[in-house]
Structure formats: C-alpha cells, structure tokens
Amino acid sequence: MRTDFIKKPLDFPSESMVNESLAYFGGKAILPTDNRKTNFPYITKEDVMQMLVSIQHEPENVVGEFSEKYNKYVGANFSIPTASGTSSLHLALVGVGVEPGDEVIIPNFTFIATAQAVIAAKAIPVFTDVDPDTFCMDAAQVESLITKRTKVVMPVHVHGLPANLPMLQEICLKHNLKLVEDASHAHSASIDGKVCGSIGDAAGQSLMADKNFPVGGEGGISFFKKEEYYERAIKFLEESGIDYRMSWIAAAFGISQLERLPYYDEVRARNAQYLSDALNETKLFEPPKVPSGYKHSYNMYRIKLHRENVGLEDLEDFKVKEAIQQLIMEEGVFAREWQNRPIPGHLPFQNKKGFGNGYPFTLADEERKYEMEDYPTTLSMFRNTLTICRELRSPIEYERIQSYALAFKKIDQNPEAIREVVSKMDSSIKLPYEKDARLG
Amino acid sequence: MDKRKQFQISFVLSRVLNSGIIMSIEKNEKEIKGLEKFIGKATGLPYVSVFNSYTGALHGALYGQDLVHGTSTHLPDITEQEDNFLAWLGITSVGGNEDNVPFQRIRVNWDNIHNFESLMEEHSTLLLDLTDLGFGPCGIIATNQELIWKKSERLKIFGAFDLRTMWTQEESNYELQPGVQFNYRISPLVAACVKLSLLRRGEHNED
C-alpha cells in the first residue's frame, strides 16, 4: 500500500541556523533534502468512512448533500456543483446572462481558466492590469474599459486575497453590469465577514486537489445570488447538452473535508501570520498586504523583493529575483514563480482560434490587441516577487513554518551572496515573461 | 441503485481507497495514464485520452479531427444530447452514410464491460462512454492517429502537454497551438475506479 505518512520528523529549528553558510555555497540547508515534502491534502479515516457511507446512496443525492452543505457554509443562495473550476466559472457567466459577443472584464494575472471560461461562454475577455499591493484586478482601470458590449466584471481573488469587491460593486451598479467572482483561490476568504463566493451576482470556484478545500481530485461549484441566474444556468446545461456533473466520489470526499476546513483555515492563517511577522523583520522581503476587514485564505503567498533595501539596486531586478530563488531553493523552501506571463500573452489569446475559425473573437466589433506591455504592474510583479504555493496549504508542522522563516532571514543577511550569484549568471538569462508561458 | 451495480462499485472503491490513492495531480496522474494504457491494449488503438465526461470526450474526438465551429459532420443515430452539444459547439449535424462517420461510439456498462471490444467496428477512432459504470462522468478517446490524440489533448487545460512539464503554449506546430480549452481532466480517483473495474472485468459480482 502506498502511504503519505511522514516517516521522519523535522528537527526543531534554531535561530543560530541563519548564521551558517548558505546551502548554495555548501553550507547546511535549513530544511534537509529528505524532509522537504509538504503533504496535501490530508486524508483521514473520516474521509474513508464518508466514502463508504456515501456509496449506499444515490450518486445525485451525494452530490446534492455536498452542494447543500458547502452552499450553506459559504452563505450563497443557490449553487451548482460541477466537474471543475473552469466549468463553474462558465456556468456563473452564463447564469448572469452573458451571451455570445459580450465582453467580460477580468484581470490579466490569474490562472488561464478564468479567461478560457469567458471564451467558453462565447464572450470576449478584456483584461485589466493588477493592483501593485494586492495583485488583484486594478479596480481603478475598470471603468475605462467598459464598452456597450460589456456585460460582466469578473475579478479573481488572487492567491486567496479578496479583490476590491466594494469598489467593483459600485462600478457594476453604476453601469448596470453583473459582478462575478472567480473565487478559486479563496475558500473561506471574506470581506467584513462575508465569504467569497456569496458576494457577487454569481461566482465560480475550483475545488481541485491543489486548493485549500479539495474534493476528490477534481471539482468546482457555481454560486448564484438570484434564482433567475441559477435557473438560466440549469437551462443552459439542458440546452447545450454539455455534461459538467461532479462525480459523487469527489462530492463524498468534499463532505468529509468540509468538516475540517475551518481547522485547516486556522492553521494556515496562523502559519501565514508567523511567516509574515518574520519577513517584516527583514529588509529584503515584504509579506502580502491584507486590507482591513479582508480575510486572506493564503492558497498561495506572494513575497515582494526589495533589493534596494540591501544595497542591490544597481542589479537588474529579475536577476536578483532569480538569484534569491536559487538560494532559497537550496535551503529547502520552494519559493518560485507562479505564472510568468500576462494571460493575454498566452497563445490562445494571441492566436484567437477559440472554438474554431476564430469564434467567438469574430463577434467583436473590432479586433482586440492583447499586448503584454499593456500590463506594466503585472510585468513588474513577475520581476520582483516570489511565491510559496502549496507549502502553506496543509496543516504543516509548526517547526516547518519556523524553518521557512529562518531560511528567508538567512538569505536576507547575505546580500553579497545574492550579488555573487547574479554575477555568475549567464548573460542570456531571460525576463520571466520572455520565457515560455507557464500554466502555474 | 441496482444491487449488483452497487456491489461492484463498493468492491472497486474499497480496493482503490485501500491502495492509498489520493488526489495530488503529480502523484496520481499515473492512475489516468494507467487507464489510458489499459484502453490502448484492449482496443488496439494506441493513442488514448481520458475525459471527465462523455461530452468532453466527444468534443475532443471532434476537435481532434478539425470538426470545429462552422463545420459539419455525420453521427449515425445521434442522440438528442449529442445533437444539442454539437449545435452548441457550432457544428452542424448532417445526414450521411457509414463512409464518413468520424468515429465509433460505444457505451460501456456492467453488462458489456467484459467484452465491449467485441462491439468495435473498423474505425480508426473510438469514443467510449464509461459513465454507466457508476463512478461519475467519464469518456475516453482511443485512436491510431497521433495527431487526433495530440489535438484532443490540447483541448484540455492540464492535458498531457501541460502536465508533463507544467509548461504550455509554446508549440511550434500552429495546428497544435491551443484555442479554447476546457478543464476536461478527470479525477484520478474516478479514473482509478474505472481502471480497476476494467481490469477486474466484473469477475467479483455476487453471481
């Protein structure tokens, strides 16, 4: 039997570790090479028992039970469980009335599914740049992008930090647009106690295995504020024939995982706070900013780099980032790029093939140019940030988050090592967004 | 639920859970690959692609043969759902004869699971619907044409190209560059159950 059980405990880390030689140069790594794995998601006897209970019921009832329980947890009015996050976004858009040729305003920085869901709804994606502090949609740009074809604004709660929904709601109200949340990173995240997914007119959310709240492997869920939107989505499913159903196996796993979600959320928040406090003691690293009243779910944790604070401002920013990445990886912390190119710079939006023969791009009044240069804040973010992805997701051991904090402190006090790594770099090193586009 | 079917599903699921299978993309992609390998052997069609629904696989089979928005095709005995789905894709369903059928469709269930291959005709591309096995929506394409397989994988977010390296998009062959993409990736848990069902071929039923 294969097992995920962690056989070797981490040693208690010591503050003195930050004074040792960097692992990159042959010193001892903060996290030993044989103990860097993050186990996620956790499967317990409750998951197995729930599966055995669920198997006694009709598949649609199992999926229905999951949907009802999670819908209640989120505080949404109506929901449709789906096979994936992408399909949930598609249904959310269709539900609020998106029709072929409509425009949907989304951020350029997100997982590609956000934009592909717009295409699936046969609409045209229009991209904003991001806010330099939150990395979510720059709400200030939205009004300038509204045309007579705009139907929806769909922000993404990037990494789990809610987008500026109060401002976006005002804009939508003013221009008679619908607000659809892409809450795929934002399970349990909230603004003033309102949980993401329940705030907009509709929402889509991924529940795949890599998310804070995973169902059994792949899944998603659409939320709707009004019955009219829900009914429209249901009617679309019937009329299109498309099968977006969630497997009952995935749903059964979701039922038992949901019971433990608040616990995992608390542990993740605690770990994120611990790491943020530690990074605030450094000159080089800045933790995520969380506006007052916002609850970040920390599906990912993006760290800003301030090379100017450690005397490295003469070096090119992306090379400093690359050097830090190499150094921290050697210490056992997988801080890396998550995405490296604005979504409009990916081939599906450069080629505009769509469903074939250019549809639905051919429905646009005029051809939209998708140029990466239109998103300077995002490009700067790619050059000056690193992301911790799954390392904070599970209830990782306290000693592990301590070790991460120490690894960043160790790098922070060795700026000359960063300079040395940069000096050895091949001169042909590319900017992040000049490299092949990454999906994740 | 039919008792025989429930027993089969219970048996398979118990085996799958006891094998320690979890849901991580990287770890359990082998479950999906294992299912693809089995279908390749069983059908003699080496290029296999699994989808999270029959309509997903239908989309893949069409897309793989350049049957896209603005084109037409003939599916004999087309169902209402298939007809609706084609219309939604912008593909016109037309009449025709057996010579221009793009692929064969077979529904696999607990009654024919032991010999579904015997239903195969002389087609280079096969479309299987395994949803009736009861683990959740599941569709599979099997073909002897690599290009059809490649194109259908490109239709998927997290298709074979993406998962191999987590890099995407940079494809020199324009034909293979992605257009619209759907997340048609099946849950590895569902794939594992389907695979085990096929491997056991229904030998452990209460009969």
Side-chain angles (χ1 to χ4, degrees), chain A residues 15-27:
Chain A
E15 284 287 334
S16 64
M17 286 173 153
V18 301
N19 300 319
E20 293 178 14
S21 300
L22 289 165
Y24 183 91
F25 295 106

Side-chain angles (χ1 to χ4, degrees), chain B residues 97-126:
Chain B
N97 55 45
E98 292 301 311
D99 295 335
N100 60 3
V101 174
F103 40 78
Q104 186 193 356
R105 297 114 72 206
I106 296 177
R107 282 179 78 153
V108 179
N109 53 42
W110 288 106
D111 292 325
N112 67 10
I113 189 171
H114 58 287
N115 67 345
F116 72 89
E117 302 98 311
S118 66
L119 302 171
M120 285 174 62
E121 297 162 2
E122 293 297 313
H123 278 276
S124 61
T125 301
L126 183 65

Side-chain angles (χ1 to χ4, degrees), chain A residues 166-199:
Chain A
M167 183 172 172
L168 292 169
Q169 271 180 324
E170 269 185 38
I171 294 168
C172 287
L173 204 60
K174 182 178 165 188
H175 295 275
N176 194 26
L177 306 175
K178 296 291 188 294
L179 180 66
V180 175
E181 301 171 67
D182 181 344
S184 293
H185 290 177
H187 312 81
S188 309
S190 61
I191 301 176
D192 297 328
K194 288 184 182 170
V195 177
C196 290
S198 71
I199 303 171

Side-chain angles (χ1 to χ4, degrees), chain B residues 155-201:
Chain B
L155 185 61
K156 296 183 199 170
I157 293 175
F158 289 129
F161 297 90
D162 304 336
L163 281 173
R164 195 171 52 223
T165 62
M166 283 303 284
W167 296 77
T168 186
Q169 320 296 340
E170 304 311 308
E171 177 65 67
S172 56
N173 183 347
Y174 179 79
E175 265 196 297
L176 293 178
Q177 289 179 358
V180 69
Q181 291 172 305
F182 290 76
N183 189 346
Y184 284 140
R185 181 175 181 269
I186 198 166
S187 161
L189 264 182
V190 177
C193 289
V194 172
K195 183 185 77 174
L196 191 57
S197 301
L198 289 163
L199 286 170
R200 305 288 301 193
R201 293 295 187 125

Side-chain angles (χ1 to χ4, degrees), chain A residues 1-4 37-41 43 47-48 51-52 55-59 83-87 90 111-113 116-117 119-122 208-210 215-218 236 238-250 253 340-341 346-348 351 353-357 359 390 435-440, chain B residues 1-2 6 9-11 13-14 17-28 30-31 52-56 59 63 68-71 81 84-90 131 134-137 157-158 162 165-171 173-190 193:
Chain A
M1 176 175 167
R2 280 183 282 156
T3 177
D4 295 319
K37 195 175 90 171
T38 304
N39 210 7
F40 183 84
I43 295 178
D47 298 318
V48 178
M51 197 69 79
L52 296 177
I55 203 168
Q56 305 299 323
H57 300 284
E58 290 298 322
S84 70
T86 317
S87 50
H90 179 190
F111 184 61
I112 199 167
Q116 289 287 21
I119 306 298
K122 302 178 177 175
M208 59 92 75
D210 231 15
V215 295
E218 285 287 349
F236 164 76
E238 288 166 6
E239 290 180 350
S240 68
I242 194 164
D243 186 352
Y244 273 162
R245 285 175 298 163
M246 175 185 278
S247 156
W248 71 267
I249 293 173
F253 192 80
N340 64 332
R341 180 182 295 195
H346 286 235
L347 280 177
N351 288 339
K353 287 182 175 179
F355 281 73
N357 295 312
Y359 186 87
R390 66 184 55 178
K435 294 187 281 192
D436 287 355
R438 285 186 67 114
L439 261 191
Chain B
M1 186 188 289
D2 173 72
Q6 191 179 48
I9 293 170
S10 299
F11 174 78
L13 194 52
S14 301
L17 286 169
N18 282 318
S19 72
I21 287 169
I22 62 160
M23 283 70 65
S24 156
I25 285 181
E26 297 87 345
K27 281 180 196 162
N28 285 303
K30 68 175 81 169
E31 298 304 329
N52 64 6
S53 67
Y54 171 69
T55 56
H59 192 181
Y63 193 83
V68 296
H69 193 276
T71 63
Q81 185 189 17
N84 288 342
F85 187 61
L86 259 65
W88 179 70
L89 292 175
T131 309
F135 303 109
I157 293 175
F158 289 129
D162 304 336
T165 62
M166 283 303 284
W167 296 77
T168 186
Q169 320 296 340
E170 304 311 308
E171 177 65 67
N173 183 347
Y174 179 79
E175 265 196 297
L176 293 178
Q177 289 179 358
V180 69
Q181 291 172 305
F182 290 76
N183 189 346
Y184 284 140
R185 181 175 181 269
I186 198 166
S187 161
L189 264 182
V190 177
C193 289

